[in-house]
Structure formats: structure tokens, C-alpha cells
Amino acid sequence: MSGLASSSAPDELSKEFLIPSYIIAPNPPPGGVPDVPKCPVLVFINSKSGGQLGGELFATYRSVLHSHQVFDLSEEGPDKVLSRIYANLERLKRDGDGLSPQIEQNIRIIVAGGDGTAGWLLGVVSDLKLSKPPPIATVPLGTGNNLPFAFGWGKKNPRTDRQAVESFLRKVMSAKEMKMDSWHILMRMKAPQKGSCDPIAPLELPHSLHAFQRVSSSDSMNLEGYHTFRGGFWNYFSLGMDAQISYAFHTERKLHPEKFKNQLVNQSNYAKLICTQGALAPSFFQPSQRNIAQLAKVKIMKTHGRWEDLHIHPSIRSIVCLNLPSFSGGLNPWGTPNERKKRDRGLTPPFVDDHFIEVVGFRDAWHGLVLLSKKGHGTRLAQAQGIRFEFHKGAAEHTFMRMDGEPWKQPLPVDDDTVVVEISHLGQVNMLATDECCSKSKTDPTTPRRRGHEDGESDEEDSVRGGDAQRKFGAADTFRIPDEIDISSLS
């Protein structure tokens, strides 16, 4: 297949996606009548993601489309770009421009980067509160790539040649719009007498923590004498062992990037951290490694306004709050409950637009080593409209948290018995889904096309409560040790 023509002489395919420059920036409209694109797109690429792949992908998209509709996120944030474009669209509509309403109605967004980058853009689109929010397609260009996988865009880093970009654009044109829930996090604690309670990220603030900041003095959630933070996520929030290992990995990778050259080396380094961080067995000597029940009391909201205690078995060392059926590279810790569990416990498949979040627990790293069976899953704790962690006074000086792949170390005032982290439903965003989508929509019975498999008759939750030695392993690719690695050689 021959390559597409340059933007100065676009062929019939590229014309379907091109946006005239005067739509993007306040330039004079052309003299003639511009072509009406069937699928106008804006492309945001993190050129620093995926090694050199991000830069190569950026160059290819700019050769296929007009350069003014392809943006490098390392040079300009999506908030400034989209605010400028939509302000210009409003001005053009007021001036009677005939093309701008059609562009606004049909525009689609492509974002290439890790899950943190995708979450950054999703947050910006949500904050703009547009009358017609554009649906978003995600290119897998990170480590986990959970968002792309959940909506059928794959999890492997893409090819960057012209033919691959053309193929992706065709999929964007034919993709189906699908709603996805978003979740709000509020964290509040008394102002410590000494020290700071600001989230500590690995050397620099991750994209998904950009919104995780102190509330303003005018914010209705601000309370005198307290430090309050707010943030949000689309994929998952985790607390405990999982976030601790991820924090160590991210810190080490940023300090010594030369040690993290490819996927196999990264997995090897992650496996070593599992051992050195004490994740293979509970530790009673390091408070940050204690089980969840030692750290916090957990409450859930199944119906609006009614909180109830959630029993957490002492073996649970990590809790993951899932919005999508994809965690740590495409695995599904919730799985699909069988009919008996649906009847006895009221469990349902993990819909992405039902205003409910799935709460899953892991005991230790061995519990999360593999998800080899299609029916494997973690310890299902609850499905809820909200979840609250109330940290025990003096239980630890800090804990570890992770949000959409980005971890941080959270200081906890030792003399404060009011430290609360509360997760609640925030809103919804429009995603683009392909025929390979594995996410389920409660409002659209035609999704997904690819169905999961129900559990077998074994009940992993019962085995946890009863202390049965024959426990079924759960899911988390984060903890997977590759077959090529000799575990006995790890120190």
C-alpha cells in the first residue's frame, strides 16, 4: 500500500480526518469552501513515552495529518490546547461559520502515552464541561496500557510506520462511543504539628496526580485546621503492598533509567523488588508493610448515603478499587461471577458505566503472581458506590497509594485519628471502543463483543475466610515473575 500524500496534497483517506487550520487557531477562514471531514481528529502524543516510539509516532502522525492537529504533550499541555480550540470554535459559530458546528459535533480525540497520560487528557476534557465532549481513543504507548486494552485498542506498543497509523485512523472512524465512569478521591487529615502531609511522588509528580492537590480556601470541602486533597481516577486506585512495590520500582527507574532498557529487564527488576520489599510474606516489623486491617477501617456505600463496615481479613495486604476490567497490563482481578455468587452475594459483572466500583483484595505477592486461568480472580470484597478508608491513629507514619499506574508515598500524621480517604462517583467520559472491547456497558447490551468466562465452582473468598491452604491465586501482572527468571537467584 502506498503512503499517504503530504498534508499539502492529501489523498481521499486523509481528507476524512483533516481539520482546516483556521478551526484550530484564530486565523482568517479560507476564501473557498473547505472540505467537510467525516472524522475530524485531534492527536495528542507523549513523545517521551515508549522510549523512542513516542517521537517516531509523533513524526508519522504529522506526516499523515496536518501538523497543526497533532500535539506533543511534552511541549504543551492538553488543557491549553483544548481551551484554545474550543474557544475558537465558539467564536466561529457566533460569526456564522458553517463548518465549525460540524467539526465540534464529530471531532474525536486520539491520545498516545501511558495510562497516566491518558488520564491527564480525560481529566482535562471533563474539566472543560463541554456541551458535546469528544470521545477518546487511546494508543497503547506505556507499561500497563490498561485503558487501551479495556476498550479494544490493544496493550502492546504500536508500530509507528505510516501504514499502521492509517489502520489506526480507520479504526477510530468506525469505533463505537461508550460511556465510562470517573471517580473522585478526597483525602483529609488534621494539619500536622510538624512535617508535611503532601503526597510524595517518585522524584516528580506523575500525570495522574496533577489533579491531586490541596483544595483552595474557597472550596466547599475545605475545613479549618485540616489539610484536604482532591483527585480522580478512571482505571483504578490501590492501597498497600501493590502501591509500595510500584513506588519502589518507579523511584529506581527514574534514578537509574539505564537499568530499565526493555520489558524483560523491567520485569526482572520488579521481581527483585517484590522480594526486597517484603511482599512475599507479611511483616510485623515495618508498619508500612502491615495488612490493611492493621492500617485502616474500611467502609463501603452500597446505597446512597448509607455507609457500612467492610470486613477485611487479616491476610489482605493490598486493596484495589477497579473501574475497568483491566489491571496491570490487561488482567481482570474481578472476573465474571457465576450464577451462585450472583445469587448469594449479589455480585455482577464489572460494568464501566453503572456508578459502581469493584473492590478486590490481595494477600501477598504470591497471591498476585499469575492470572493464568481465564476463571482466576482476586478476593472479591465488594461492589459499591463509594469506599472510605479511616486510618487508625498511630498505625504508621506513612502508607503507599497508587492511582492509574502512578504511585506515591502518603505521610500520615501519627497523632491524628481522623485521616480519611474517600472515593465517590464523579461523572462520566466518552470513550471510543473497537470490536475487541472487553469492557461491558450496562446501558448498551451489545457490548462487549468479546465475552468473558464465568467462574468455576471454586470460591476463592471462602478459602480466604477459612484459611484453606488450597487457595486459588489471584490476578495482577504487576507481580508476575517471568519464566526466564530464576527465583532462587533473587536477593
Side-chain angles (χ1 to χ4, degrees):
M1 180 178 179
S2 61
L4 287 174
S6 67
S7 59
S8 60
D11 68 1
E12 291 304 313
L13 174 63
S14 62
K15 285 182 180 179
E16 302 284 11
F17 304 95
L18 297 180
I19 301 177
S21 61
Y22 83 96
I23 296 289
I24 305 296
N27 300 321
V33 179
D35 294 327
V36 179
K38 180 179 179 180
C39 181
V41 295
L42 294 173
V43 183
F44 294 88
I45 298 175
N46 186 346
S47 64
K48 295 182 179 179
S49 291
Q52 63 181 8
L53 294 181
E56 294 174 359
L57 197 65
F58 177 76
T60 304
Y61 267 99
R62 281 210 157 184
S63 70
V64 172
L65 304 172
H66 285 326
S67 61
H68 59 254
Q69 64 190 104
V70 183
F71 304 91
D72 185 349
L73 290 172
S74 67
E75 296 181 356
E76 188 174 21
D79 49 345
K80 294 181 180 179
V81 173
L82 290 176
S83 296
R84 181 175 68 244
I85 290 174
Y86 275 92
N88 194 49
L89 282 170
E90 288 299 316
R91 180 186 63 81
L92 289 169
K93 287 191 298 183
R94 290 196 303 268
D95 293 344
D97 178 74
L99 181 60
S100 53
Q102 299 178 62
I103 295 289
E104 184 178 32
Q105 183 67 25
N106 298 323
I107 198 167
R108 297 187 164 196
I109 287 179
I110 298 171
V111 55
D115 287 330
T117 300
W120 183 19
L121 193 137
L122 288 168
V124 168
V125 171
S126 298
D127 290 344
L128 288 175
K129 301 187 184 304
L130 303 169
S131 58
K132 175 62 171 66
I136 298 167
T138 53
V139 181
L141 198 62
T143 303
N145 297 326
N146 292 293
L147 273 164
F149 180 78
F151 292 95
W153 300 103
K155 58 182 177 180
K156 294 183 179 179
N157 287 347
R159 293 184 5 240
T160 60
D161 57 276
R162 187 182 293 267
Q163 186 175 357
V165 168
E166 294 174 10
S167 176
F168 193 89
L169 286 170
R170 290 192 185 94
K171 288 183 179 180
V172 169
M173 183 185 296
S174 61
K176 183 176 183 178
E177 292 192 34
M178 190 173 178
K179 295 287 186 181
M180 178 180 72
D181 291 330
S182 62
W183 294 85
H184 175 260
I185 291 182
L186 180 140
M187 181 166 61
R188 177 178 289 143
M189 62 196 72
K190 287 182 180 178
Q193 296 180 358
K194 61 179 180 178
S196 172
C197 57
D198 291 347
I200 303 171
L203 304 185
E204 61 184 53
L205 201 63
H207 288 305
S208 64
L209 295 188
H210 283 180
F212 206 102
Q213 57 191 356
R214 294 182 188 275
V215 301
S216 66
S217 58
S218 59
D219 195 310
S220 61
M221 294 188 176
N222 188 34
L223 292 180
E224 185 177 355
Y226 288 80
H227 285 168
T228 307
F229 304 84
R230 299 176 65 179
F233 66 94
W234 287 263
N235 190 349
Y236 67 88
F237 168 85
S238 68
L239 171 71
M241 172 195 66
D242 159 72
Q244 178 184 349
I245 299 171
S246 180
Y247 181 87
F249 176 81
H250 278 68
T251 301
E252 183 71 13
R253 184 168 62 176
K254 289 181 178 180
L255 286 172
H256 305 286
E258 71 280 358
K259 295 181 180 180
F260 299 82
K261 297 180 180 179
N262 57 57
Q263 188 175 25
L264 180 60
V265 172
N266 290 353
Q267 288 177 325
S268 175
N269 288 326
Y270 218 113
K272 292 177 182 178
L273 285 171
I274 290 175
C275 297
T276 59
Q277 292 294 314
L280 298 181
S283 170
F284 296 96
F285 301 102
Q286 298 188 44
S288 63
Q289 297 174 4
R290 290 178 178 173
N291 61 53
I292 298 300
Q294 290 174 304
L295 284 175
K297 183 177 182 179
V298 183
K299 295 184 177 182
I300 58 171
M301 182 190 297
K302 289 188 175 180
T303 58
H304 184 68
R306 296 184 60 182
W307 291 98
E308 57 185 78
D309 292 338
L310 177 65
H311 172 72
I312 304 297
H313 191 275
S315 65
I316 299 297
R317 299 181 62 206
S318 181
I319 283 184
V320 181
C321 304
L322 287 161
N323 187 43
L324 300 180
S326 180
F327 175 70
S328 290
L331 301 178
N332 183 5
W334 186 260
T336 303
N338 61 29
E339 290 301 322
R340 180 170 62 85
K341 292 173 186 176
K342 293 177 184 177
R343 179 185 68 247
D344 295 346
R345 298 188 60 198
L347 303 179
T348 71
F351 298 113
V352 300
D353 57 355
D354 61 354
H355 296 197
F356 277 82
I357 197 165
E358 283 68 45
V359 185
V360 182
F362 295 106
R363 295 186 295 276
D364 52 36
W366 296 119
H367 185 196
L369 275 175
V370 290
L371 183 60
L372 298 179
S373 169
K374 291 183 179 179
K375 298 178 182 180
H377 58 83
T379 303
R380 299 185 183 115
L381 298 175
Q383 286 175 302
Q385 296 181 11
I387 183 169
R388 172 188 280 172
F389 300 93
E390 299 176 352
F391 288 86
H392 301 313
K393 181 178 180 179
E397 294 182 357
H398 62 266
T399 188
F400 293 88
M401 302 179 184
R402 186 159 73 131
M403 187 163 65
D404 285 357
E406 308 284 10
W408 74 95
K409 180 180 179 179
Q410 182 56 54
L412 300 172
V414 294
D415 59 346
D416 184 6
D417 58 357
T418 62
V419 179
V420 172
V421 174
E422 186 175 312
I423 296 173
S424 58
H425 188 264
L426 177 62
Q428 292 185 325
V429 291
N430 294 326
M431 302 299 293
L432 288 170
T434 75
D435 289 342
E436 297 299 312
C437 172
C438 66
S439 296
K440 292 182 172 76
S441 169
K442 188 173 183 178
T443 59
D444 185 354
T446 66
T447 60
R449 290 76 162 179
R450 188 173 66 186
R451 298 286 177 180
H453 297 272
E454 286 193 345
D455 298 344
E457 289 304 311
S458 61
D459 194 332
E460 197 259 350
E461 290 83 2
D462 291 343
S463 68
V464 168
R465 295 191 184 98
D468 190 344
Q470 301 298 321
R471 292 167 174 167
K472 182 166 62 177
F473 285 143
D477 198 34
T478 298
F479 306 126
R480 177 177 293 165
I481 297 179
D483 296 335
E484 296 88 347
I485 297 173
D486 181 6
I487 295 179
S488 64
S489 66
L490 300 178
S491 58

